[in-house]
Each structure stands twice: as structure tokens, then as C-alpha cells.
Amino acid sequence: KNEVEQSPQNLTAQEGEFITINCSYSVGISALHWLQQHPGGGIVSLFMLSSGKKKHGRLIATINIQEKHSSLHITASHPRDSAVYICAALPSGGGADGLTFGKGTHLIIQP
Amino acid sequence: NAGVTQTPKFQVLKTGQSMTLQCAQDMNHEYMSWYRQDPGMGLRLIHYSVGAGITDQGEVPNGYNVSRSTTEDFPLRLLSAAPSQTSVYFCASSYLGSSSYNSPLHFGNGTRLTVT
């Protein structure tokens, strides 16, 4: 069974700081998702990647397939980035029930 | 374009009552799923569907039923609510495409269910 671990569990930072959230998984995967859950509860898909790096605005997601590790970076962090960030991994050859979710990283950006 | 619409937003049930959580999507997605989110745990899959008329069990299916009569709708039924089903429920959908199951997920806004 694929184990997905996120670190840190909680992170408090000052506005403007560079943020890194880590995700590691235990088996080979075909896709890695990064999701954002706002305090109101809604969940939004940020990235889906299987190799390399993706960038959207101030958010950057990277993945190292050999090391079974992905990172989500936030540059010039802002209080509106405060949310829970969740990674989820789909094992290679995984079916529709194969997606395993991490427990999330609770990020607070203070003004 | 509404995306994934999930209702109700909040619900309180007494033990033994039944109810249906509604989920509809207007993106013509083949894949639809239900998750529950509990404190200290990742999202866990309850049931999923890869198309109209096709459903299957996920990790935690006991106490829940689903059906998929149309591409758009995927209701989740609690047959006899139990306090252990107190949770936040999310419906999600995605396009299957040529690389099955690795398309971005679109989530509903969630239903906070309390069973007393």
C-alpha cells in the first residue's frame, strides 16, 4: 500500500517568506497531486505532475521520481495563502481507487 | 459553468435516520467519487464511479450506497446513520482521458454531517 507523508504538519511564517512543503511516498507513481483547502473547507486542485516542475504564479511544484519526493514552494507568501495543503499520489498502474492522500500541512501566514 | 455542486452544506441527523447527499457536475466527467475527511486523517475514498451505470467500493464503503444513473449525478446515501459517520464529505470528479485516473480532480464544497 502506498504511504504518503507530508511535512511539516503545521507551519507558521511571516508574510513575504519563502515556503516549502514536502511530500514523500513509498511506491512508484504515475501522478502526484497538490491540493489547497481553504479555511471555508473547499478543496482546489493546484497541480498535477508526474515529472519535473510546474509553476503557476507564486506557486511551484517539483517532483523527484527517484527519491519519491515532491515539494510545493510558495514565493513571497501572503496571508491569503493560509490554508491546508494536501498532496495525493497515484501509484503506477493504479486504478480509480488508487489515489492516496497525505494528512495535509496547515499553513498560516502572518501579516 | 458551475463545476461540482454538492448539497447540503450542513446536516444533523439522529442515529438510525437515512439521508442522501447530492453531487452533480456539469463538466461531462466520467469519473466521480465520494470522500470523507476526518481530523488527523487524509481524505478516504468511500465509493467511486467511472461512468453511468458503473460504481465500485473504495476504502471505507460500509454504511453507504451510491448509484450513477446519469453522467452528471452521483448521490451518496446513508442508510442508517451512525455517530461514526460524523465527518466532512466531499464529492469529486475528473476527466478520465487517455491516461486513466491521473487527471486533475474537481471538488465540491463539502457537506459537514453530524450524527447524534
Side-chain angles (χ1 to χ4, degrees):
Chain A
K1 188 180 184 317
N2 191 21
E3 302 290 334
V4 176
E5 299 287 339
Q6 286 187 239
S7 64
Q9 288 186 353
N10 299 284
L11 178 57
T12 300
Q14 295 299 121
E15 183 174 355
E17 287 188 39
F18 181 82
I19 303 299
T20 296
I21 298 170
N22 298 298
C23 176
S24 61
Y25 48 91
S26 59
V27 302
I29 65 168
S30 61
L32 191 289
H33 297 255
W34 280 103
L35 310 171
Q36 181 190 53
Q37 185 170 25
H38 277 285
I43 299 175
V44 174
S45 178
L46 296 175
F47 296 103
M48 188 191 66
L49 65 166
S50 55
S51 64
K53 174 179 168 178
K54 287 191 175 181
K55 185 176 189 290
H56 185 256
R58 296 179 294 106
L59 300 177
I60 303 166
T62 64
I63 190 167
N64 185 318
I65 298 298
Q66 287 74 26
E67 294 187 3
K68 295 187 175 62
H69 180 269
S70 177
S71 293
L72 177 68
H73 305 286
I74 305 174
T75 62
S77 60
H78 189 276
R80 66 175 173 265
D81 297 324
S82 298
V84 176
Y85 293 84
I86 301 168
C87 71
L90 182 67
S92 299
D97 60 343
L99 201 58
T100 301
F101 293 81
K103 295 179 182 179
T105 293
H106 189 192
L107 174 66
I108 297 173
I109 304 297
Q110 296 178 333
Chain B
N1 198 349
V4 179
T5 303
Q6 194 180 328
T7 57
K9 198 166 177 62
F10 300 96
Q11 183 71 48
V12 178
L13 291 177
K14 293 188 187 321
T15 297
Q17 287 185 316
S18 62
M19 78 159 295
T20 299
L21 280 64
Q22 301 291 345
C23 177
Q25 52 89 12
D26 61 359
M27 297 170 282
N28 205 32
H29 285 165
E30 301 95 331
Y31 178 78
M32 296 187 75
S33 54
W34 278 100
Y35 296 92
R36 59 178 290 171
Q37 186 178 43
D38 299 296
M41 305 186 75
L43 288 158
R44 291 184 293 168
L45 183 65
I46 303 171
H47 285 284
Y48 65 96
S49 168
V50 297
I54 305 168
T55 64
D56 210 341
Q57 297 181 348
E59 181 185 355
V60 287
N62 292 340
Y64 308 95
N65 272 0
V66 292
S67 59
R68 185 97 180 266
S69 55
T70 66
T71 300
E72 295 78 20
D73 299 297
F74 191 46
L76 178 73
R77 297 183 186 85
L78 280 71
L79 306 173
S80 177
S84 61
Q85 293 178 303
T86 294
S87 187
V88 181
Y89 292 84
F90 287 95
C91 177
S93 72
S94 72
Y95 174 59
L96 279 180
S98 59
S99 300
S100 300
Y101 317 123
N102 63 359
S103 297
L105 282 168
H106 299 257
F107 286 85
N109 287 329
T111 297
R112 187 172 294 273
L113 174 69
T114 302
V115 182
T116 61

